[in-house]
Amino acid sequence: MPGAIMGIYGQQRSGKTLIAYKLVKSMCELAHRQGVDLRVYTNLYCPKDVGWKYVNSIDELPLDLQPKIVLIDEIYNGCDAQDYRKLKDISIFINTIGKQNCLFVFTSIDAQMVYNRIRNQMTVCVLVKSSATHIHYKFLYMSTGKEVDFIVEKDQELFSNVYYDTDFIPPDFDWGMKSWREKLQSFYAENYGMTINV
């Protein structure tokens, strides 16, 4: 899990946020059964989910080595591929998720809306299409080229135990790393006894 990136792509209201939420929730439940408390940091608004914390910036994420999942819905809100000014900060975060013991999950309407530095490091890509009665998911495993298709019926059971607010519109996610550098200095001091200017 550490360092893995899962990108989920689909049109609006296709079911991409639903699969992201359900996958992350199932990982948390599996980890809990194995005695691990897996924290989730997300811009989804889901106050009923224990261990899930709403965040809207990189600065709100902890810098530690504990297992965690970062789930960013509609990543292009704040990470538009056309806005190159933020690329350095985003690259720093993406290139350290393995060291942070972090799984990174994001959703987007289209792959071209997401920075190539994120797309190129994806472990799993999920493509989502929806009809009136079913949702079609295609999982692409980037390192092997393997493809797996799933079709789920839009029934009451599919939406049971789903607590995120489907009408909540997340504001632009702030990728600025102002306090991140301070956290990094503290991390070096606490774990290595080193004083480093970053």
Side-chain angles (χ1 to χ4, degrees), residues 9-17 74 108-110 128-130:
Y9 301 105
Q11 294 179 343
Q12 292 186 34
R13 312 312 275 184
S14 62
K16 62 184 180 296
T17 302
E74 310 293 3
S108 177
I109 292 172
D110 184 82
V128 185
K129 287 190 177 183
S130 183

Side-chain angles (χ1 to χ4, degrees), residues 26-38:
S26 67
M27 287 182 229
C28 290
E29 290 169 355
L30 177 62
H32 183 71
R33 288 195 297 269
Q34 296 175 351
V36 176
D37 289 323
L38 192 55

Side-chain angles (χ1 to χ4, degrees), residues 130-135 154:
S130 183
S131 69
T133 59
H134 292 82
I135 304 174
K154 291 181 180 177

Side-chain angles (χ1 to χ4, degrees), residues 90-160:
I90 292 168
S91 294
I92 292 169
F93 173 73
I94 292 299
N95 291 330
T96 61
I97 60 173
K99 294 181 184 350
Q100 296 178 57
N101 207 4
C102 177
L103 167 66
F104 183 56
V105 181
F106 68 88
T107 71
S108 177
I109 292 172
D110 184 82
Q112 295 303 313
M113 300 169 83
V114 180
Y115 282 124
N116 62 355
R117 292 186 188 183
I118 297 174
R119 292 192 319 260
N120 292 342
Q121 294 187 62
M122 278 191 310
T123 312
V124 179
C125 175
V126 182
L127 305 177
V128 185
K129 287 190 177 183
S130 183
S131 69
T133 59
H134 292 82
I135 304 174
H136 301 258
Y137 295 108
K138 180 182 285 290
F139 283 68
L140 306 170
Y141 297 88
M142 308 312 280
S143 61
T144 64
K146 182 178 177 182
E147 299 179 9
V148 180
D149 293 302
F150 296 96
I151 301 173
V152 295
E153 186 178 356
K154 291 181 180 177
D155 59 12
Q156 189 172 358
E157 184 181 348
L158 179 63
F159 298 97
S160 65

